[in-house]
Amino acid sequence: MLDLEWKDEYLLGIVAVDFQHRQIFDCIKNILSGPAEDDRLRAEAEVIKLLTLLQAHFALEESMMRNLGYPELEGHIEEHRQFNAAVHDLAQRSLRRKGGVSHDAISVFHNWLTEHIMGSDRDYALFFANPAHLSANAKRSAK
């Protein structure tokens, strides 16, 4: 089962991104906690909230990466697309079924936390934290 407790190890040191990650995490936690079977509206509202949070979050990350010349931008965007598509698919399937959140949904969310935030997002945070990368990109942009 997915550990539903926020941990400081998820922090990247980029305030806006960390704030959004926490909001997404809390929303996922609410979804995985599962509303009562008769509370379909709440379930739908949480899924819509998650999709909205993801859209804003991915836009922020991708904008930062573009502006700072992150070399792995395209691969990161593809990860965002895949996760977004998986969440849309899970939303459709979960809202049609009864009995709570599927094991597929739990697996997708767990992978996003462990692989995307702790892997791909940590990679760009380390890149951004290195002044040598940023000054090299600024020089290339000035040409």
Side-chain angles (χ1 to χ4, degrees):
M1 183 70 174
L2 178 61
D3 181 2
L4 296 177
E5 297 307 316
W6 176 261
K7 297 177 182 143
D8 285 346
E9 68 191 65
Y10 300 145
L11 296 172
L12 300 178
I14 303 170
V15 175
V17 172
D18 288 335
F19 177 76
Q20 287 181 337
H21 279 164
R22 182 67 190 258
Q23 286 183 306
I24 292 165
F25 183 90
D26 288 343
C27 190
I28 290 171
K29 183 176 176 178
N30 287 340
I31 290 169
L32 295 181
S33 298
E37 284 186 29
D38 61 341
D39 196 355
R40 238 32 198 154
L41 290 177
R42 182 175 166 267
E44 289 176 14
E46 285 297 323
V47 168
I48 290 168
K49 178 180 176 182
L50 176 60
L51 294 171
T52 302
L53 289 170
L54 289 174
Q55 183 178 14
H57 175 65
F58 294 162
L60 172 66
E61 278 191 352
E62 292 168 17
S63 174
M64 287 180 354
M65 289 179 207
R66 238 179 236 100
N67 290 338
L68 296 173
Y70 185 57
E72 303 299 321
L73 172 65
E74 293 306 316
H76 204 95
I77 289 173
E78 183 56 31
E79 286 184 34
H80 286 171
R81 285 187 191 125
Q82 289 175 6
F83 183 63
N84 200 44
V87 171
H88 274 279
D89 180 56
L90 290 168
Q92 293 301 314
R93 286 189 288 146
S94 293
L95 293 175
R96 285 192 300 263
R97 62 177 254 157
K98 292 186 179 184
V101 178
S102 70
H103 290 289
D104 289 344
I106 292 168
S107 176
V108 166
F109 294 140
H110 182 264
N111 289 340
W112 183 73
L113 278 174
T114 58
E115 294 175 17
H116 189 77
I117 291 177
M118 298 300 292
S120 300
D121 284 356
R122 179 125 358 254
D123 289 346
Y124 82 71
L126 291 171
F127 177 85
F128 292 167
N130 184 339
H133 291 133
L134 297 179
S135 62
N137 286 331
K139 287 177 186 173
R140 278 196 301 268
S141 297
K143 291 181 180 181

